[in-house]
Amino acid sequence: MTNTHNMNNVVFREISTVINRRYRALIWSSKEIKTIDLDLQLVNKISRNILSFIERSLGNSRDNLDVFEPYRVIKTINVNTNLNKKNIETLSYLSLLKILYTDLPVKISVEEKRLGKTLVCPSIYYYNSGYFKRIIGGCGGRVCDEECSTYKVDALPIIMGTEFDEDILTYEENIVEDSLDEIASVEDRLLPMFNINKLIYPDNSLGVLILRLKKSESEAVEVFIREGFDNVVIRLDLRKPSWDLNMFPKKIVSDIETLITNPIKKSYKYAPRGVLLVGPPGVGKSVLAEAIASEIGKKILDLKPSVYRSMWYGMTEKILEKLLKSITHRTDLALLIDDAEFLVSRALAIHEVHISEISILLKYLQNPDRPVTLLTSNTPTLIDQALLRPGRIDVIIVLGYPDRESRRTIIENILKQYDVKNVSEDLIEEIVRKTRWFNSAEIDALIRMALSKGDGRIDIESIEWARKRFKIDPNMRSAEHQFLRWGVNSLSNLVIQYIPDEQDM
């Protein structure tokens, strides 16, 4: 048997409160648990359900045995972590500790008259494929001011597991009997602790709670950071991608499907985990990143420096590390780091925090269990090159300005998006011709200006009027293409290149 002093001191302080001297508790366990490494948010969730079950059970008084009916509750708790037997044992230990040292003292102090001579005794069992194992038990209650003759025992078996057979309730009688036997086995410790002479055992328990721990994916990522006496809560909502690959030219989509999306969807071990999209501003890097996430069926989690950077010493690293750790095994999301130039080379760093930040990301990108990570950049030479090496970033997509075919696809999608109908092929071809060396964002802006000029309609005059508002230098943009081609030759990663030749523009 073990008591609460075997508990890790830090965790004990985290979940315990100042206990009224009239309240005491005893915990016993089948095994001493020394390693405490579990999210307290999940502990709190389970503890709340146990407390709710206790409140319902205690409200069903035994005074009138003719109407007494034990509670039987089957509750599903969604969790976002991989649970195994060891985790469930630790989870049970922490949850019962929190119940007995935080929640029940408050409950009993509020209803002292009714519960003054009651020992509430929850016991948690692990269930797996017809096999039961008692993990931990405990009793808590009010200490008698003077020696009391009798105390009533309220036993509360709680069954925890990830999978249950349909006939689990047929084991209820054995569980209740075992729970009462466990209390009796520590009676010699309970009597002096609560200053009582005798315990009165019921014929049955107050009820049986079945907690089904079910793996699920949340619509958000939420982490709790302990800082001094305060808790910092960081919550990042996931978002659905707004674009898909059908909006892009077939020549680039074919390579993306072959090298990126198909291996990921088929869960091949060699599937890429990191993708960098490079190109001039406005060519559609962020949109293509969203389209890739949509194609592999993932929601998007945006990681921006404003989310995790802090003015307080050490907090930036703590928040970033906790965020990345919380999503390591998530299979429902893709991490998007847009405009990743803020991850500048450590050789240019002017603060030690930035070096720590890069080190944390290097370790994260090395983890094979991480979600697909998508980065975009206009100038990748600014990014710390250790982040971009193969194994961390597996594929680099280099996007230049769209050629004629791509501009036509972009124009047709934009007209459809703005619900513009009855546009002739000749007019579409004229827009393609006049948008040579335009990027995707500029094409969108030109069409919006033309629609505004034409009061919702588009014609050659409104296109001409809008085109005059743009100052595009073909020589400058052709030079950018040359620079992109030079940059591709220096990359050691697998590269998907879309840099049209001059004649294709």
Side-chain angles (χ1 to χ4, degrees):
M1 290 185 287
T2 181
N3 59 29
T4 57
H5 295 292
N6 291 322
M7 196 62 184
N8 179 288
N9 286 334
V10 175
V11 176
F12 184 84
R13 287 199 303 270
E14 179 77 20
I15 67 176
S16 65
T17 60
V18 177
I19 305 170
N20 189 300
R21 283 180 296 177
R22 292 183 298 171
Y23 181 91
R24 291 180 188 166
L26 174 70
I27 284 184
W28 60 90
S29 175
S30 58
K31 112 185 222 189
E32 185 175 332
I33 301 173
K34 294 182 178 179
T35 303
I36 308 298
D37 184 21
L38 206 63
D39 188 351
L40 287 176
Q41 182 186 6
L42 181 55
V43 174
N44 292 337
K45 187 184 294 187
I46 290 175
S47 300
R48 282 196 299 270
N49 280 278
I50 295 176
L51 181 63
S52 174
F53 170 68
I54 289 173
E55 289 175 339
R56 288 179 60 186
S57 300
L58 294 178
N60 195 3
S61 174
R62 294 181 187 272
D63 295 339
N64 187 348
L65 295 178
D66 293 334
V67 297
F68 172 73
E69 293 256 347
Y71 273 99
R72 184 183 294 113
V73 180
I74 300 178
K75 180 76 175 178
T76 299
I77 296 182
N78 295 326
V79 297
N80 297 320
T81 187
N82 290 329
L83 287 175
N84 53 36
K85 183 179 177 182
K86 181 179 178 182
N87 285 345
I88 291 177
E89 288 183 354
T90 305
L91 188 64
S92 302
Y93 195 101
L94 286 170
S95 299
L96 196 60
L97 190 71
K98 183 177 186 298
I99 285 291
L100 290 180
Y101 281 89
T102 301
D103 299 321
L104 269 180
V106 176
K107 177 68 179 174
I108 289 179
S109 66
V110 171
E111 301 189 47
E112 193 168 291
K113 289 184 179 179
R114 188 167 67 88
L115 302 176
K117 291 190 176 183
T118 299
L119 284 187
V120 180
C121 300
S123 296
I124 299 181
Y125 295 80
Y126 171 67
Y127 176 82
N128 184 32
S129 303
Y131 168 74
F132 282 97
K133 177 188 177 183
R134 184 188 58 77
I135 297 174
I136 186 171
C139 288
R142 183 186 181 278
V143 180
C144 239
D145 293 329
E146 299 177 359
E147 191 176 86
C148 299
S149 57
T150 58
Y151 254 52
K152 182 174 65 176
V153 173
D154 279 334
L156 289 155
I158 298 153
I159 304 170
M160 241 190 238
T162 53
E163 295 182 7
F164 290 101
D165 300 332
E166 293 182 0
D167 60 345
I168 184 174
L169 292 178
T170 61
Y171 299 98
E172 180 179 328
E173 187 175 336
N174 293 335
I175 291 291
V176 170
E177 185 177 340
D178 182 78
S179 178
L180 293 170
D181 288 344
E182 282 294 333
I183 300 169
S185 71
V186 295
E187 186 174 305
D188 59 335
R189 299 182 67 190
L190 291 171
L191 294 176
M193 176 174 279
F194 293 94
N195 200 24
I196 53 181
N197 291 327
K198 183 181 178 181
L199 292 178
I200 300 176
Y201 292 90
D203 295 329
N204 203 340
S205 69
L206 281 172
V208 176
L209 173 63
I210 299 172
L211 291 177
R212 187 194 316 270
L213 304 175
K214 183 180 179 183
K215 175 74 175 172
S216 72
E217 307 291 4
S218 170
E219 290 299 312
V221 172
E222 192 172 65
V223 296
F224 295 79
I225 312 292
R226 186 72 170 174
E227 182 64 18
F229 295 101
D230 296 325
N231 283 316
V232 178
V233 182
I234 307 292
R235 178 185 170 89
L236 301 180
D237 291 322
L238 305 184
R239 60 183 177 91
K240 292 182 179 179
S242 303
W243 307 88
D244 59 64
L245 288 179
N246 293 330
M247 300 175 177
F248 291 86
K250 292 181 180 178
K251 61 181 72 174
I252 190 171
V253 169
S254 176
D255 286 343
I256 289 173
E257 289 177 339
T258 301
L259 298 173
I260 301 175
T261 60
N262 287 345
I264 292 174
K265 288 194 289 187
K266 294 177 181 178
S267 300
Y268 290 145
K269 290 185 177 180
Y270 58 79
R273 309 305 300 169
V275 179
L276 171 66
L277 297 95
V278 175
V283 295
K285 301 183 295 297
S286 303
V287 171
L288 182 55
E290 285 197 29
I292 292 172
S294 175
E295 182 67 19
I296 59 177
K298 311 295 184 185
K299 296 186 178 69
I300 292 174
L301 175 67
D302 294 292
L303 183 65
K304 303 174 183 178
S306 59
V307 167
Y308 63 83
R309 285 185 176 171
S310 170
M311 64 182 288
W312 302 111
Y313 187 83
M315 278 298 284
T316 294
E317 301 96 308
K318 191 180 292 186
I319 294 171
L320 179 60
E321 194 164 29
K322 196 76 177 284
L323 276 171
L324 296 176
K325 185 178 179 181
S326 71
I327 66 171
T328 297
H329 297 286
R330 293 285 294 261
T331 58
D332 63 325
L333 62 83
L335 181 67
L336 175 59
I337 306 177
D338 210 2
D339 296 320
E341 287 84 358
F342 67 89
L343 301 173
V344 67
S345 171
R346 286 165 290 178
L348 304 175
I350 58 174
H351 198 287
E352 63 183 270
V353 173
H354 180 73
I355 297 175
S356 301
E357 183 181 341
I358 296 297
S359 298
I360 291 169
L361 281 164
L362 288 174
K363 183 179 179 181
Y364 167 76
L365 290 173
Q366 196 66 33
N367 191 334
D369 296 325
R370 62 183 165 89
V372 173
T373 304
L374 306 164
L375 290 79
T376 72
S377 174
N378 300 327
T379 51
T381 52
L382 291 178
I383 301 174
D384 193 294
Q385 294 305 293
L387 291 169
L388 305 184
R389 73 156 174 79
R392 294 187 176 115
I393 296 298
D394 305 299
V395 181
I396 295 180
I397 302 174
V398 182
L399 296 175
Y401 292 97
D403 61 12
R404 292 181 63 89
E405 178 189 345
S406 300
R407 294 202 302 277
R408 170 175 281 275
T409 301
I410 293 167
I411 291 164
E412 289 173 347
N413 285 328
I414 292 172
L415 293 173
K416 184 178 180 181
Q417 178 185 348
Y418 295 139
D419 199 26
V420 182
K421 300 176 181 178
N422 302 321
V423 180
S424 67
E425 285 294 320
D426 290 342
L427 182 56
I428 291 176
E429 187 58 35
E430 183 65 18
I431 299 173
V432 170
R433 189 179 67 82
K434 290 189 176 297
T435 53
R436 187 170 184 263
W437 289 111
F438 274 49
N439 62 36
S440 303
E442 291 163 343
I443 295 172
D444 180 82
L446 180 137
I447 291 175
R448 285 189 286 108
M449 291 172 66
L451 288 169
S452 297
K453 176 66 174 176
D455 195 23
R457 293 178 296 176
I458 194 167
D459 54 29
I460 190 65
E461 289 79 13
S462 62
I463 291 295
E464 290 278 4
W465 178 87
R467 177 63 183 85
K468 293 176 183 178
R469 269 67 186 170
F470 290 87
K471 305 299 181 184
I472 305 295
D473 186 340
N475 292 327
M476 287 290 294
R477 298 206 164 175
S478 177
E480 286 185 69
H481 269 196
Q482 293 301 325
F483 182 77
L484 283 175
R485 292 190 184 95
W486 171 82
V488 166
N489 293 331
S490 64
L491 296 173
S492 58
N493 311 67
L494 178 63
V495 176
I496 298 176
Q497 179 178 334
Y498 174 67
I499 309 173
D501 294 326
E502 189 85 18
Q503 62 269 20
D504 295 326
M505 297 301 295

